[in-house]
Amino acid sequence: MELPESNSTGDDKSVGFEAAKKIILRWDSTASEDAKEKMIFESDRQEADLYLQAVDEIQRSLSNASLSDDRSKATTIQIAMARLEDEFRNILITNTAALESESLTDPTSSSSVHSHLSSRSSNFEPEEEFILNTEKLLELEHCESADSSRGRSTSSIREMDLMPPEAICDLHAIAMRMISAGYLRECVQVYGSVRKSAVDSSFRKLGIEKLSIGDIQRLAWEALEGKIRRWIRAARVCVRILFPSEKRLCEQIFVGVGTSIDDDCFMETVKGPAVQLFNFAEAISISRRLPEKLFKILDVHDALMDLQPDIEVVFDSKSSDSIRVQAAEILSRLAEAVRGTLTEFENAVLREPSGPVPVGTIHPLTRYVMNYIGLISDYKQTLIELIMSKPSTGSRYSGDPTTPDMDFAELEGKTPLALHLIWIIVILEFNLERKSKQYRDASLGHLFIMNNIRYIVQKIKGSPELREMIGDDYLRKLTGKVRHAATNYQRATWVTVLYCLRDEGLHVSGSFSSGVSKSALRERFKTFNAMFEEVHRTQASWIVPDTQLREELRISISEKLIPAYRSFLGRFRSHIESGRHPENYIKYTVEDLETAVLDFFEGCVVSQHLRRRSQ
Amino acid sequence: MPATDYQGTSSAPFSNFGRSILSLRRDQVHAMEGAHDGGVQVDELEAFQRQVADLFLNLSSASASEELLSLAWVRKLLDSFLCCQEAFRAILYNNSAQVLRPPMDRLIGEFYERSVKALDVCNAIRDGIEQIRQWEKLLEIVLCALDNNDQRALGEGQFRRAKKALIDLAIGMLDEKDSGQTLAHRNRSFGRNSNSSHASRDHHHRSLGHFRSLSWSVSRSWSAARQLQAIGSNLAAPRGNEILATNGLAAPVYTMGSVLLFVMWAMVAAIPCQDRGLQVHFNIPRQFVWAAPLLSLHDRIVEESKKRDRKNACGLLKEIYQMEKCSRLLSELADSVQFPLTEEKEAEVRQRVKELAQVCETIKEGLDPLERQVRELFHRIVRSRTEGLDSLGRGHHPE
């Protein structure tokens, strides 16, 4: 049924108006059960069109009519608006339900640099574990190139269609009427409340939880790590897909009615969720500075940094200032947290109180620190920008025995990050020295230092980035220390042993033998044997993990021991052999000793007695 | 002022020194000053106590424009906190060496733990502010409906519009436990002969249910009351030996902790948040100069919360009360009017609308700045804690 054309002039186009009023009253849901049961916009198209035309008619006549009719018209309009509000809400709700079954996925492909790296910092499950099935969204997957460097354009934003176009059309039609009748506020409120619940349920699907700062502080680290990973993926989806899609929906529904309206609706919808999203990152930035958290904090920092340009684009209106500001604040707090955590790490390395390890091998602290440094160099790109000041070495040259000294003057031209790395190694060495003094056997202390510094050297050499940052000068210093420790070890162990094989003290003048004191000689052999056996027994159980170093050390020992023994034997064996029980004194051949040296630093327990080939 | 409620366990007798908070003998005080390296300046500590006292006295003397628990007063409260915070920070800075020594390091560490708990309260308050904003927006609908600026006579339509918004507001402002009852009421009152059997199909009902559950950004188990308890746990006035051992610094730590607790408590009292409970004990020895004004404020607020018409309020903020009152009066008016309106009725409506407009104006002007202040509080607490923890970390030398 077509409404008759209304003429622009004149009187109360009563025919058009009356018919329109009838339509509106017919659909008054407070007046009839039938009106309440059915929805206009779920019925056929014609009903909806008719209704809208009726509303328009009333509106038109309201602006032209005389005062006396106003009240009933105003009531009619109110009834129409209340009805439209219901319809609006209904269309939103119906079409929102359809959306929720769509899957949401992280638009960053798993080949991005940092997600690869984060696999090294913890036991890492593949990116795919999170991703649900994604027919429609696969095209969004590959929008990121492998280069996930910062400051790129926001081509990473992808808007999804949240509603079928017919629904959007209807919503727009209704919104127009409501707004022109002065019912903008109701419209915005309904829109906001329905869409916000949609966003909330998407959040739940993405695994974004409502965690307080207290909750996060109480979480065990492994649990928190998992949540951080999930958050990073979720944040990318929210900022790059979810929020922009909502924004576009607002723009589509409220097109042509002034930009601030769609802004307001957008903010109604996403402000709360956005703040909730960022609250998590904020909580991370506030948490206690535990060294093991450094890399996850860096991950959050980098993820947020990556999202900055997109955040600027999505939240570009005046009313969303606070969100942009909060994101920037959080980013800078995360940077602070990174710096603080690094400092805390340095303190922890300095303080670490455990004793030395048995058999002088690599201390877990050394492994941990070198592993940590390795990860630092992986995250070099970000850290170089974040670490801006030299390490605070506290008392430099203060003579304070509790902190090492470091002269930064000779390290000109290095980035602060590199200085920190060197400082960390200096602290580690310092701590290791402290530990080495706790060995009862000084030789073992030296071996310990030798092994650990060697480990450090090898780790640095094994990583080009690390080597480049630490520099060959310092590397040389460290290598020198290894050598020095080896020398110390040799002196500590072998000087006394070789002392047995010296010439002096054996020759006696005026004796009727060939000038050698047999008793002294026997003493010497006995002492040598005992000492060597002891050293052999002990040091066979010691460990030098580095194969090359082990070989070198053994060779170095042999080089001193074997010729000395051979020469001693050569000069004095006859004196012993001419006496009684020579086998008690000359227990070992040169070959025996050579073989025995091979046992050194193998880390195994040998039987009390050396193998003997003699006799 | 007899020191009757103070249990000192130190052997030194406690005598009164008028305004001297430390309540130590003068010679003991002098012994602290200039003790070993950098003795704490007693003047500085006393000045701090006086400053806190002054701020609270100021808050107590509510003027007409800054009535107790009004938006303006709450903002003054937060400002006072920020002042105390800065002064406290200065004391810690000036006495950094002392802060690192036990038992002060433990005391300050506890304080930082307390302050982290306050951060969640700040976030919850932001939520509450948003909640108030939503209510204000509903009132704007009412104003829009009943605003008679264009001289058109108010008809049934406008009243129905206003009534709808007023009911939404009433439901929104309810305490959670009461909401079921009133939803049914809403269905009934909404139409002349609608019945609640179609409640399931009532779209309003559905979306209003959303209204409540979505509004909090914290999990369902979070509780403002519990959080306040946590902030106040183990907050006890320092004993004499603690004061001596820390060269007096234990006192400002306790003071700041108490101020923190009070401010958080007052905010929770004023602004809606999840599980608002006001059962927090303030056990402050009267020697502290600020104890009396703080405790009197506390008592007045508690009294307010017990008043008959405020017992079930979702927040004690004066403006919330005004919103409730105005909207209730308007609601009653709307229910009672016959059309066409008599001149008398119309005048009454206009009056109520004017009052409502006033409240809305106040709220609109005051909420944004309040939110910014809460955020500022958040920042300062974080910053002071970070600085403090960092310097504690630096100060620790190996064994």
Side-chain angles (χ1 to χ4, degrees):
Chain A
M1 179 184 97
E2 291 269 342
L3 286 176
E5 276 283 314
S6 36
N7 28 357
S8 46
T9 59
D11 0 295
D12 200 23
K13 327 134 190 75
S14 44
V15 176
F17 174 79
E18 281 309 316
K21 184 169 171 183
K22 223 166 113 196
I23 293 178
I24 288 177
L25 288 176
R26 182 154 68 79
W27 286 102
D28 180 0
S29 56
T30 63
S32 88
E33 284 307 309
D34 192 48
K36 217 173 163 187
E37 300 269 318
K38 296 203 297 190
M39 299 306 288
I40 306 175
F41 281 79
E42 276 172 4
S43 328
D44 60 69
R45 208 60 253 168
Q46 245 205 341
E47 287 284 1
D49 286 340
L50 277 175
Y51 194 84
L52 288 174
Q53 281 169 11
V55 176
D56 289 341
E57 183 59 41
I58 307 288
Q59 272 290 76
R60 258 197 300 270
S61 71
L62 198 62
S63 41
N64 298 345
S66 60
L67 277 165
S68 56
D69 283 320
D70 255 1
R71 252 187 288 117
S72 89
K73 280 176 190 161
T75 308
T76 315
I77 275 289
Q78 192 276 335
I79 293 173
M81 288 300 132
R83 181 74 211 196
L84 283 180
E85 187 184 320
D86 283 349
E87 297 286 332
F88 195 73
R89 184 182 288 110
N90 188 50
I91 300 175
L92 278 174
I93 290 178
T94 317
N95 289 280
T96 293
L99 172 69
E100 290 184 71
S101 58
E102 292 267 63
S103 305
L104 301 158
T105 185
D106 180 356
T108 314
S109 72
S110 48
S111 63
S112 84
V113 179
H114 284 299
S115 60
H116 168 67
L117 285 175
S118 60
S119 65
R120 303 179 61 186
S121 62
S122 51
N123 24 326
F124 179 74
E125 322 93 312
E127 290 272 32
E128 279 67 46
E129 55 113 38
F130 169 80
I131 294 176
L132 314 167
N133 108 72
T134 66
E135 329 274 312
K136 205 164 169 183
L137 298 162
L138 273 175
E139 60 214 270
L140 293 164
E141 272 259 55
H142 302 288
C143 64
E144 298 262 299
S145 63
D147 168 27
S148 66
S149 59
R150 253 153 271 121
R152 263 184 334 110
S153 76
T154 53
S155 57
S156 39
I157 291 184
R158 284 293 180 268
E159 292 137 340
M160 273 165 46
D161 283 324
L162 295 173
M163 272 185 203
E166 312 83 53
I168 295 185
C169 212
D170 286 342
L171 289 169
H172 172 69
I174 296 178
M176 296 281 278
R177 271 76 182 184
M178 287 184 80
I179 292 172
S180 64
Y183 279 67
L184 166 64
R185 289 182 179 82
E186 278 93 336
C187 192
V188 170
Q189 195 200 50
V190 172
Y191 183 84
S193 81
V194 177
R195 286 314 303 173
K196 184 156 179 288
S197 87
V199 172
D200 275 334
S201 89
S202 298
F203 264 36
R204 273 195 302 276
K205 283 213 149 84
L206 287 169
I208 300 175
E209 298 168 90
K210 293 185 175 185
L211 293 169
S212 68
I213 294 177
D215 290 336
I216 289 176
Q217 283 205 306
R218 279 186 288 271
L219 278 177
W221 180 235
E222 300 75 36
L224 190 54
E225 272 191 299
K227 291 193 198 293
I228 288 178
R229 267 200 291 277
R230 206 155 7 130
W231 182 87
I232 291 177
R233 282 184 282 238
R236 289 193 188 125
V237 173
C238 287
V239 174
R240 289 177 174 154
I241 302 183
L242 193 60
F243 295 159
S245 303
E246 289 291 334
K247 192 169 182 196
R248 192 167 76 139
L249 185 62
C250 290
E251 285 164 5
Q252 287 169 329
I253 294 175
F254 295 97
V255 64
V257 288
T259 40
S260 73
I261 294 177
D262 58 313
D263 262 345
D264 286 343
C265 282
F266 177 56
M267 275 295 113
E268 277 289 317
T269 307
V270 307
K271 180 172 178 193
V275 167
Q276 189 195 328
L277 181 69
F278 293 139
N279 277 351
F280 180 83
E282 188 158 62
I284 298 291
S285 76
I286 294 172
S287 55
R288 292 212 73 136
R289 319 277 200 236
L290 294 176
E292 58 265 26
K293 289 184 176 171
L294 179 66
F295 305 105
K296 271 280 160 286
I297 298 180
L298 272 167
D299 283 342
V300 177
H301 174 274
D302 286 348
L304 198 54
M305 185 113 205
D306 236 14
L307 288 173
Q308 276 293 74
D310 304 315
I311 292 174
E312 301 278 314
V313 165
V314 171
F315 294 102
D316 59 354
S317 67
K318 183 87 182 56
S319 50
S320 50
D321 260 354
S322 62
I323 295 188
R324 255 180 301 128
V325 166
Q326 183 174 1
E329 283 165 355
I330 295 173
L331 197 60
S332 95
R333 272 222 200 93
L334 284 168
E336 248 178 66
V338 167
R339 289 181 208 115
T341 307
L342 187 62
T343 304
E344 192 45 45
F345 170 69
E346 289 164 4
N347 290 341
V349 173
L350 188 58
R351 282 193 305 256
E352 202 276 332
S354 69
V357 283
V359 307
T361 188
I362 313 296
H363 197 283
L365 179 66
T366 312
R367 279 188 219 278
Y368 180 76
V369 173
M370 292 318 289
N371 199 25
Y372 203 93
I373 292 185
L375 284 170
I376 288 181
S377 90
D378 284 343
Y379 281 83
K380 170 179 158 179
Q381 200 184 358
T382 308
L383 280 172
I384 271 215
E385 289 175 28
L386 292 185
I387 305 295
M388 298 179 303
S389 57
K390 297 203 267 249
S392 54
T393 58
S395 41
R396 209 175 309 160
Y397 300 127
S398 64
D400 177 359
T402 57
T403 33
D405 291 328
M406 181 150 150
D407 183 6
F408 286 112
E410 55 193 37
L411 294 164
E412 285 300 312
K414 286 205 173 292
T415 61
L417 180 63
L419 291 177
H420 273 272
L421 286 180
I422 296 178
W423 173 239
I424 290 171
I425 297 180
V426 167
I427 298 177
L428 176 61
E429 280 181 76
F430 187 79
N431 191 327
L432 291 171
E433 285 285 339
R434 201 168 63 220
K435 293 189 205 307
S436 75
K437 301 208 170 69
Q438 294 177 41
Y439 283 110
R440 262 172 319 171
D441 190 335
S443 308
L444 189 53
H446 295 302
L447 202 74
F448 174 74
I449 290 293
M450 186 191 76
N451 280 332
N452 281 270
I453 310 267
R454 172 76 171 191
Y455 182 85
I456 296 174
V457 168
Q458 296 302 93
K459 279 288 170 192
I460 297 175
K461 280 187 175 162
S463 156
E465 294 95 17
L466 214 49
R467 184 170 185 164
E468 192 254 329
M469 276 194 281
I470 290 179
D472 279 348
D473 282 342
Y474 196 72
L475 196 57
R476 255 195 299 276
K477 255 198 185 150
L478 285 173
T479 316
K481 289 198 173 144
V482 177
R483 252 194 316 272
H484 188 61
T487 310
N488 284 343
Y489 153 79
Q490 293 205 53
R491 235 179 260 145
T493 298
W494 295 104
V495 162
T496 40
V497 178
L498 293 175
Y499 200 57
C500 301
L501 305 176
R502 77 195 180 289
D503 238 15
E504 313 84 50
L506 287 176
H507 294 280
V508 196
S509 57
S511 126
F512 46 88
S513 56
S514 50
V516 166
S517 158
K518 279 219 172 77
S519 57
L521 191 58
R522 278 188 223 118
E523 254 333 287
R524 286 293 190 84
F525 268 106
K526 264 175 71 181
T527 315
F528 175 83
N529 294 338
M531 277 187 155
F532 187 81
E533 277 161 20
E534 182 57 30
V535 169
H536 174 260
R537 190 183 57 79
T538 315
Q539 301 201 0
S541 66
W542 293 0
I543 293 184
V544 175
D546 187 288
T547 319
Q548 192 191 349
L549 192 58
R550 192 167 59 237
E551 280 309 304
E552 284 173 9
L553 202 56
R554 284 185 196 146
I555 289 171
S556 173
I557 294 171
S558 293
E559 273 173 4
K560 297 197 175 56
L561 177 68
I562 305 302
Y565 190 70
R566 189 183 280 122
S567 137
F568 196 75
L569 264 189
R571 286 209 304 277
F572 301 113
R573 78 182 312 148
S574 51
H575 297 287
I576 296 292
E577 281 168 343
S578 67
R580 289 192 332 203
H581 299 294
E583 69 279 3
N584 287 352
Y585 308 105
I586 305 183
K587 279 167 107 175
Y588 308 112
T589 64
V590 168
E591 289 75 26
D592 287 336
L593 290 192
E594 279 173 341
T595 313
V597 170
L598 293 177
D599 290 337
F600 278 67
F601 320 124
E602 280 298 308
C604 46
V605 178
V606 294
S607 58
Q608 276 291 80
H609 304 286
L610 290 168
R611 284 157 284 170
R612 291 201 247 183
R613 281 209 289 139
S614 57
Q615 265 85 38
Chain B
M1 302 174 282
T4 44
D5 31 345
Y6 189 74
Q7 287 105 27
T9 54
S10 133
S11 52
F14 288 91
S15 41
N16 299 315
F17 284 93
R19 305 184 70 194
S20 165
I21 173 40
L22 300 172
S23 296
L24 294 169
R25 297 200 308 267
R26 273 288 148 185
D27 56 331
Q28 288 173 313
V29 165
H30 283 308
M32 279 167 18
E33 247 180 338
H36 7 183
D37 54 303
V40 174
Q41 293 308 311
V42 174
D43 291 340
E44 185 183 35
L45 300 186
E46 288 201 9
F48 177 65
Q49 301 293 335
R50 264 196 296 270
Q51 183 181 9
V52 174
D54 286 342
L55 286 166
F56 274 97
L57 280 168
N58 202 351
L59 284 166
S60 283
S61 62
S63 60
S65 59
E66 288 168 343
E67 220 185 310
L68 185 70
L69 290 176
S70 66
L71 258 174
W73 184 86
V74 174
R75 292 184 52 200
K76 204 162 118 174
L77 176 71
L78 297 189
D79 260 341
S80 308
F81 177 84
L82 292 174
C83 287
C84 292
Q85 164 86 338
E86 277 313 297
F88 181 63
R89 213 166 138 230
I91 290 182
L92 292 181
Y93 182 76
N94 293 340
N95 298 286
S96 47
Q98 180 65 52
V99 172
L100 296 175
R101 284 193 217 116
M104 185 59 187
D105 56 348
R106 177 181 52 85
L107 291 175
I108 198 72
E110 278 170 11
F111 172 76
Y112 289 136
E113 275 314 299
R114 238 179 263 290
S115 57
V116 164
K117 300 193 167 96
L119 295 177
D120 274 328
V121 177
C122 289
N123 280 347
I125 295 296
R126 268 169 88 201
D127 263 357
I129 292 176
E130 189 57 38
Q131 181 82 289
I132 300 177
R133 261 198 205 105
Q134 294 301 320
W135 297 338
E136 195 271 328
K137 286 185 181 153
L138 281 172
L139 286 178
E140 280 181 18
I141 294 178
V142 176
L143 288 177
C144 192
L146 298 179
D147 186 0
N148 211 6
N149 268 348
D150 51 2
Q151 295 312 316
R152 296 198 183 189
L154 291 173
E156 198 178 344
Q158 281 103 326
F159 275 88
R160 285 174 63 157
R161 185 184 182 190
K163 198 64 209 293
K164 197 157 164 298
L166 286 167
I167 291 179
D168 283 353
L169 179 67
I171 295 178
M173 287 179 97
L174 273 177
D175 236 354
E176 274 143 343
K177 29 189 181 325
D178 294 337
S179 57
Q181 206 183 20
T182 315
L183 276 174
H185 178 245
R186 182 185 193 273
N187 294 346
R188 269 198 300 281
S189 73
F190 206 99
R192 282 157 258 152
N193 44 3
S194 63
N195 53 42
S196 43
S197 63
H198 291 280
S200 56
R201 250 323 226 64
D202 190 322
H203 308 290
H204 294 296
H205 179 188
R206 233 195 300 169
S207 79
L208 279 166
H210 284 309
F211 216 3
R212 176 64 62 180
S213 63
L214 292 184
S215 49
W216 306 131
S217 69
V218 283
S219 71
R220 284 186 180 283
S221 61
W222 190 84
S223 155
R226 258 206 324 263
Q227 199 75 6
L228 287 174
Q229 295 288 352
I231 295 177
S233 84
N234 290 333
L235 182 61
R239 295 192 293 271
N241 54 341
E242 267 180 324
I243 295 185
L244 278 175
T246 58
N247 273 4
L249 287 176
V253 175
Y254 172 69
T255 305
M256 201 61 225
S258 303
V259 171
L260 180 73
L261 178 62
F262 178 78
V263 171
M264 292 300 134
W265 176 84
M267 281 210 290
V268 167
I271 311 268
C273 47
Q274 187 165 289
D275 195 22
R276 266 171 83 246
L278 300 183
Q279 257 74 300
V280 171
H281 262 322
F282 288 89
N283 240 334
I284 305 171
R286 296 277 163 170
Q287 273 95 321
F288 287 95
V289 198
W290 44 268
L294 186 151
L295 290 171
S296 108
L297 275 174
H298 169 262
D299 291 340
R300 281 163 70 190
I301 295 177
V302 168
E303 210 182 296
E304 184 71 22
S305 75
K306 296 207 170 110
K307 284 199 186 138
R308 197 157 33 97
D309 51 356
R310 309 245 50 207
K311 253 206 303 218
N312 293 322
C314 41
L316 292 175
L317 194 68
K318 272 283 171 296
E319 284 77 4
I320 293 181
Y321 184 44
Q322 284 160 0
M323 272 200 284
E324 253 170 12
K325 224 172 31 167
C326 277
S327 58
R328 195 174 11 104
L329 289 171
L330 259 174
S331 231
E332 284 165 6
L333 204 53
D335 281 338
S336 70
V337 287
Q338 308 279 7
F339 296 98
L341 286 178
T342 62
E343 277 228 15
E344 204 190 312
K345 273 290 176 190
E346 193 158 342
E348 214 183 316
V349 171
R350 233 176 302 152
Q351 179 57 30
R352 296 276 165 259
V353 168
K354 203 165 131 204
E355 286 162 9
L356 193 63
Q358 188 56 46
V359 180
C360 287
E361 194 55 42
T362 312
I363 292 178
K364 263 214 306 238
E365 272 175 24
L367 273 191
D368 282 352
L370 180 67
E371 188 175 5
R372 279 196 294 272
Q373 254 180 313
V374 173
R375 191 80 188 131
E376 182 60 30
L377 218 83
F378 186 96
H379 288 317
R380 300 277 195 97
I381 292 177
V382 170
R383 190 155 24 117
S384 136
R385 175 176 172 267
T386 307
E387 281 171 359
L389 288 179
D390 280 350
S391 83
L392 275 179
R394 265 200 305 277
H396 281 134
H397 294 284
E399 65 105 68

